Amino acid sequence: MLTLNRSETTSALDYNILNTSIQDTFAAIDRFEWQAIEELRVMRNNGYYSDAGYASFEDYCEKELTKHGGYRRVRDLLSAKKVVDTLPEELREKITKPSQTRPLLRLAKTPDKLHEAVAIAAKEKPFPTAADFAKAVQQVAPKVKRATKTENPNTQLCNSVTVSQESHPRYGEEGTIEADAPNRWQQIVTFPDGERLLINNTDLDAPSVPFPRERTYPAEYTEAIAAIEERHKQELERLSQELRIGLQTEATANAEAQVQEQIQSLQNLYKQQREQNVQLQRRLDEMESLRQLETENQQLRQRIQDLENAVEQRPSQQWGNTMTQQATKVLNKQVKQALEKTIDLRSLAAEPPKENAQECLRLMGIALKNLSEAMNNTKALEAAAIILGSEPTPQAIAYRAEQLEMLPQAVSDIRQVLARPGCSWQDYWNVAQEYEVIKHDYWAELTTQEADLITTLQNASSQPDTIGLGSIVAHADPYRTLYVERGEVVQDLGEELVVAWDCWKEQSKKTDRYFRDELRFWQPEKE
């Protein structure tokens, strides 16, 4: 048996933890005792004991609860509950355990006196004991001494005694000894309310009664009792230390698990934030490029507008010989720079593009657009809009041209994903949603077989999947670390599923139980 020196115990034990543990233990004992009373009341009032074949509640208590005191203790507990229910809410908390209500039982039929007695005891102490309640009851309803007839005043029987031990529930009450003592250190005392209790001689104040006040033991028994008490004391110290170590270990493990889970969640949040920052920076770069292009377009439009205004303000008959040779060179240079950005329609007529007819139309539209800008020709702009299928404005035509530039790449990516073995609707959709703005265009480029395959995949994906045995799942709560982990359903329990997680393979606990709505189908993270 493990023993500890006093100095080692004092240094090893933490007073605050041990004191809190002791108080919690006593509070749990009291709470469970009140819980047992409530369960006994439900058993008695609803007659559940008859389901086991018992004729009465008393019969049930004597058969099933013998080792816990039988019907007598159950009766005392139910009486204690009756006393507490009689009190108002502010006084109920003063009674912490059923044994304290025994001195208050005789006031149960007089609620006013009962309230007064509990209030008196509560004024003296915040949490009165049974002895405090007994004193308060004696003040509120003092007992009248009743004369008792004795057959033989010189004998021990029928002697009047008073309970002198303050911790005893019957403290201050008088009773009579009407039966022979069962042993030399206790007496059977009968109280005026008819209750008979076995009370130690040391708890009675009856100097005239000739019975021994203390129990004596032989010397060898005294030494054995002292040794047993010492062993019990050491055992209690050992159990207390083990309990403290166990509580500290459990608290430490729980704290570490919570910290680890919080760290994992923060890491996931940081990763998501970093990805969002990268995407936001990319968008900002694109917006900056668009802004610069818009500025250049505005400058060009302003320059064209200035030239148009200059022509309108000075008709051809007024120019005369003002166009010098140097001015002609400057104007020809600007026109040449504008035409360098256009596409030669004669080259398209001589050799069509190698890609497809759609690409040819796109190039023709772009060429007409550039031509309309260089020559300020509205008809060319309208023709470009008709070919490209957009509004007859430079901005709409430019936006449509950018869309059609993505068409070859879109068709290539979609055909590539459809050619994969075991292609699913999710695989197709992950690629197709990037080209959703030109869906009508790339759909016209696909073959009939490819279109039918996409339709089949979409119809198959519309049927809801149910998580069952063998499903690959992840946790549905995004704030749990298992949200990004992979697991497999290894057992179907009906309402619950048993999941084996890949990340738990090296741990002692490899599986756990979840409801279906707590899980989702696992999807691998995109790189």
Side-chain angles (χ1 to χ4, degrees), residues 387-451:
I387 293 175
L388 296 177
S390 65
E391 296 293 330
T393 61
Q395 294 83 359
I397 293 175
Y399 180 71
R400 179 60 177 168
E402 291 179 359
Q403 290 182 346
L404 294 178
E405 286 181 1
M406 299 187 297
L407 182 60
Q409 185 64 34
V411 174
S412 176
D413 293 347
I414 291 175
R415 285 177 174 172
Q416 183 178 1
V417 73
L418 292 177
R420 296 177 185 173
C423 175
S424 64
W425 167 257
Q426 188 62 37
D427 297 335
Y428 162 76
W429 179 246
N430 291 338
V431 177
Q433 63 182 353
E434 298 179 4
Y435 306 106
E436 185 66 18
V437 293
I438 57 172
K439 178 179 179 180
H440 180 74
D441 299 303
Y442 75 70
W443 192 268
E445 298 295 327
L446 298 177
T447 63
T448 305
Q449 292 79 4
E450 292 171 341

Side-chain angles (χ1 to χ4, degrees), residues 160-275:
S160 177
V161 294
T162 303
V163 179
S164 59
Q165 182 64 32
E166 293 186 359
S167 61
H168 198 278
R170 289 280 190 171
Y171 171 72
E173 298 185 19
E174 293 185 356
T176 57
I177 301 175
E178 299 178 353
D180 294 332
N183 49 60
R184 294 184 302 170
W185 59 91
Q186 291 178 319
Q187 298 293 331
I188 299 177
V189 181
T190 303
F191 291 92
D193 57 2
E195 185 177 9
R196 303 177 68 186
L197 296 178
L198 186 63
I199 304 178
N200 295 334
N201 294 341
T202 55
D203 296 341
L204 298 175
D205 183 15
S208 61
V209 180
F211 52 77
R213 305 287 291 178
E214 297 181 358
R215 183 177 182 182
T216 59
Y217 300 95
E220 58 274 15
Y221 289 177
T222 303
E223 295 177 357
I225 292 173
I228 292 174
E229 291 179 350
E230 182 64 23
R231 288 199 299 271
H232 287 174
K233 183 178 180 181
Q234 295 176 356
E235 184 68 15
L236 287 175
E237 291 179 354
R238 183 185 65 82
L239 293 176
S240 177
Q241 184 179 8
E242 291 179 355
L243 178 61
R244 178 185 61 82
I245 295 174
L247 291 175
Q248 289 181 344
T249 303
E250 183 178 0
T252 303
N254 293 336
E256 291 178 354
Q258 293 178 358
V259 171
Q260 188 66 25
E261 185 173 355
Q262 292 177 357
I263 292 174
Q264 186 66 27
S265 300
L266 290 175
Q267 291 177 350
N268 294 336
L269 291 176
Y270 172 74
K271 182 178 179 181
Q272 295 176 2
Q273 188 67 29
R274 185 176 60 184
E275 294 176 355

Side-chain angles (χ1 to χ4, degrees), residues 116-137:
E116 183 180 356
V118 175
I120 291 173
K123 288 181 180 179
E124 297 180 358
K125 292 182 180 180
F127 295 99
T129 62
D132 298 327
F133 287 124
K135 288 182 180 180
V137 171

